[in-house]
Amino acid sequence: MLKKIGILTSGGDSQGMNAAIAGVIKTAHAKGLETYIIRDGYLGLINNWMEVVDNNFADSIMRLGGTVIGSARLPEFKDPKVREKAVANLKKQGIAALVVIGGDGSYQGAQRLTEMGINCIALPGTIDNDITSSDYTIGFDTAINIVVEAIDRLRDTMQSHNRCSIVEVMGHACGDIALYAGIAGGADIISINEAALSETKIAERVATLHQTQKRSVIVVVSEMIYPDVHKLAKLVESKSGYITRATVLGHTQRGGNPTAMERYRAFQMAQFAVEQIIVGAGGLAIGNHGDQIIARPIMEALSIPRPSRKEIWAKFDELNQNIYQKS
């Protein structure tokens, strides 16, 4: 009979992870289960860094950003002997199931553990929104709100001094942060991985805006497109006539308290995850489709192709181009 479940966070931290941890703890306790946190992800499994927690712990972490139980990357977890040590430690503690919060690498670890007899349920924890089995990942909403706030602040000073700002945001190969935050922040130009503009094209478009006497320009770009956005800023400045500076937001996008929607989604997913564990399920990935919380086999979830954002980007880009022409 199931009596204990564990919780770990793995890979890059994201806002809302703590709300998910709290959701697991509260739901499990309501069902009469004991909950254990595993410190520093899969590394904590092999080092036996486990401790029991209660509802007071859950209450104290709900609003916090990052992950209070720590996270780490452990490539060695691909080795079956390393996983065997993790399974032995879990069984020694009497923990028969895990909720794993992280990205695709974390999902793969959860699948391997499930195959070894530890039922695992995975939750999508990443700011990048690149877990395709869920409309939105835990951390994405807060990250785009942080980027929008940064764009708003930069717009204030660009407007004051008649300048251009290039803002580089995170996302790895996924351009969702740049696209969503760029549209919400009223960016003039957006360049994402699947619809990347050349450096020359960006400079030309900013020059066109200068000719229309636009007071300020905001360019939002995804990371991993341009080798050096500061050099891009110099190119734009030389071609456009605007004093141009680049801002790399970096890890500021991962920090800070999660938004209300972030906490809500994370808690709902966590509650659903515990319910799946109680009925004996394992090897599942939890996500949302609209307002519905859904579960899919992990390997199926990892095989879902990423939906194209080109149409959304193209409509916004066309809108901005039309504005330029009519100015």
Side-chain angles (χ1 to χ4, degrees):
M1 181 179 176
L2 181 69
K3 294 182 179 179
K4 302 177 181 180
I5 65 172
I7 315 152
L8 67 82
T9 51
S10 174
D13 64 303
S14 65
Q15 309 94 330
M17 280 184 165
N18 290 320
I21 295 166
V24 172
I25 295 168
K26 285 176 172 285
T27 306
H29 278 232
K31 303 291 185 179
L33 301 177
E34 197 171 24
T35 51
Y36 283 72
I37 55 170
I38 292 92
R39 299 282 183 184
D40 293 335
Y42 290 117
L43 184 63
L45 283 183
I46 63 173
N47 288 319
N48 204 25
W49 296 337
M50 310 179 196
E51 58 191 84
V52 66
V53 290
D54 58 16
N55 284 329
N56 288 325
F57 179 82
D59 288 338
S60 70
I61 67 173
M62 218 23 213
R63 64 180 180 81
L64 301 177
T67 167
V68 298
I69 65 176
S71 184
R73 302 184 192 278
L74 187 67
E76 297 85 352
F77 204 70
K78 295 176 182 177
D79 185 340
K81 291 183 179 179
V82 173
R83 295 198 301 273
E84 285 172 6
K85 185 175 181 181
V87 170
N89 286 336
L90 286 166
K91 289 182 176 179
K92 192 181 299 182
Q93 290 281 8
I95 299 171
L98 282 177
V99 175
V100 175
I101 309 165
D104 53 3
S106 306
Y107 277 34
Q108 291 172 18
Q111 176 63 27
R112 299 286 91 81
L113 287 176
T114 300
E115 293 166 359
M116 297 173 74
I118 303 295
N119 278 345
C120 293
I121 306 293
L123 300 185
T126 168
I127 70 168
D128 299 335
N129 208 41
D130 61 352
I131 300 294
T132 53
S133 56
S134 185
D135 287 354
Y136 300 106
T137 57
I138 296 168
F140 177 66
D141 186 69
T142 306
I144 60 174
N145 273 277
I146 290 168
V147 174
V148 168
E149 182 179 355
I151 292 171
D152 290 346
R153 290 170 182 262
L154 287 166
R155 179 73 80 180
D156 288 345
T157 193
M158 295 305 104
Q159 189 78 8
S160 298
H161 295 281
N162 192 22
R163 293 183 176 184
C164 172
S165 179
I166 298 173
V167 186
E168 183 185 84
V169 303
M170 296 176 82
H172 289 284
C174 180
D176 283 9
I177 293 176
L179 182 63
Y180 282 62
I183 292 175
D188 302 288
I189 299 168
I190 299 173
S191 182
I192 61 175
N193 309 70
E194 60 184 310
L197 299 171
S198 69
E199 295 186 5
T200 301
K201 180 62 70 175
I202 290 174
E204 289 173 353
R205 290 194 177 184
V206 176
T208 300
L209 289 171
H210 190 265
Q211 292 167 11
T212 66
Q213 298 184 333
K214 193 172 191 306
R215 183 74 187 176
S216 62
V217 175
I218 299 291
V219 181
V220 177
V221 303
S222 291
E223 65 180 351
M224 300 177 69
I225 299 178
Y226 309 103
D228 187 337
V229 289
H230 297 288
K231 288 184 179 179
L232 173 59
K234 289 180 180 179
L235 174 66
V236 169
E237 182 170 314
S238 69
K239 299 291 186 181
S240 70
Y242 285 111
I243 294 175
T244 304
R245 297 291 181 267
T247 300
V248 179
L249 294 183
H251 286 88
T252 60
Q253 294 160 90
R254 284 190 184 173
N257 294 347
T259 63
M261 183 56 72
E262 200 80 79
R263 302 181 204 191
Y264 170 79
R265 286 191 183 127
F267 196 95
Q268 292 291 95
M269 288 185 191
Q271 185 176 5
F272 190 72
V274 175
E275 291 168 354
Q276 298 305 303
I277 285 174
I278 288 171
V279 299
L284 295 178
I286 306 301
N288 77 295
H289 181 66
D291 290 330
Q292 185 179 7
I293 306 297
I294 57 174
R296 292 187 176 94
I298 288 175
M299 299 313 293
E300 177 187 319
L302 291 174
S303 69
I304 296 172
R306 182 176 298 152
S308 175
R309 308 297 194 204
K310 284 186 178 180
E311 184 176 350
I312 299 172
W313 175 86
K315 285 184 177 180
F316 183 75
D317 192 61
E318 181 182 14
L319 174 70
N320 274 343
Q321 292 304 300
N322 288 338
I323 291 171
Y324 304 159
Q325 293 169 8
K326 296 183 184 302
S327 297

